[in-house]
Amino acid sequence: MAEGTIFKFHNDLDTDQIIASQYLLLPNLEEMKEHTFESLDPDFPKKVKPGDFVVGGENFGCGSSREQAPEIIKALGIQCVIAKSLKALGVQAVVAKSFARIFYRNAINIGLPVIVCKDLPDDVKTGDTMELSMSDGTAHANGKTYSCTKLPEYMQNILNQGGLIASLNREEE
């Protein structure tokens, strides 16, 4: 079970609020990530730590189909040794009541876990601590256990390999 701090956002959070379009002109993710959620919390990139969680309401990631939105969230972190493999930890997962379909697909493609948990977002606030077990499909926060999406083993494997693209590239080798 993974534990981290919650950063909570509202319903219908769009990709422009995750990373505004003017920052897409920056040369790399490293420079872009300093502007994550800038219109909502300008200090977010300084406050978020490896292993933290982003929690949202309904329709998280609506708006454009830009893949940079989940990439930016995933990039906020450092390299950590986990289970004897080097893995970028960053934000552990985005947990929301529901996701915009294209954001969900882009997140899986790049290896960012996106977990549907209908009741948790109403009961938590920024700064709360949460434990998430993707394999069990449960989250624990504020003394309560929540039922979430239980990812099938094949999807866990895709995420563990860094996303669908990385997984497919490994199969070709």
Side-chain angles (χ1 to χ4, degrees):
M1 211 177 266
E3 182 177 301
T5 300
I6 291 172
F7 288 87
K8 184 177 174 184
F9 296 96
H10 55 79
N11 289 336
D12 301 312
L13 186 130
D14 69 47
T15 53
D16 273 332
Q17 292 171 313
I18 296 170
I19 183 71
S21 60
Q22 70 259 27
Y23 299 120
L24 299 177
L25 300 174
L26 293 173
N28 56 52
L29 282 177
E30 197 60 33
E31 291 184 42
M32 284 185 226
K33 73 182 185 181
E34 297 305 316
H35 302 282
T36 308
F37 296 115
E38 186 173 85
S39 67
L40 302 172
D41 182 355
D43 294 326
F44 177 81
K46 294 178 184 112
K47 294 188 283 189
V48 70
K49 302 287 183 258
D52 287 343
F53 296 98
V54 169
V55 173
E58 297 281 352
N59 203 25
F60 188 96
C62 60
S64 75
S65 60
R66 68 176 62 124
E67 197 170 78
Q68 292 94 336
E71 284 178 327
I72 291 293
I73 295 171
K74 183 181 176 188
L76 288 167
I78 58 172
Q79 297 292 320
C80 297
V81 177
I82 301 174
K84 297 183 182 176
S85 66
L86 193 62
K87 179 180 178 183
L89 187 56
V91 171
Q92 285 191 57
V94 177
V95 178
K97 288 184 174 188
S98 67
F99 292 90
R101 183 180 64 197
I102 193 70
F103 181 89
Y104 188 88
R105 291 180 64 124
N106 283 339
I108 297 302
N109 285 348
I110 59 101
L112 175 67
V114 280
I115 307 296
V116 174
C117 196
K118 295 284 185 189
D119 299 322
L120 179 130
D122 290 334
D123 293 348
V124 299
K125 62 185 182 318
T126 294
D128 288 349
T129 301
M130 181 174 81
E131 291 181 348
L132 176 67
S133 174
M134 289 187 284
S135 59
D136 293 338
T138 59
H140 304 279
N142 301 328
K144 191 172 175 184
T145 301
Y146 299 88
S147 179
C148 303
T149 302
K150 182 177 179 181
L151 298 177
E153 187 177 337
Y154 76 89
M155 189 173 259
Q156 290 264 356
N157 289 337
I158 287 171
L159 292 171
N160 289 340
Q161 293 179 54
L164 183 60
I165 307 297
S167 176
L168 292 172
N169 287 339
R170 284 194 178 102
E171 287 179 11
E172 291 176 5
E173 293 175 356

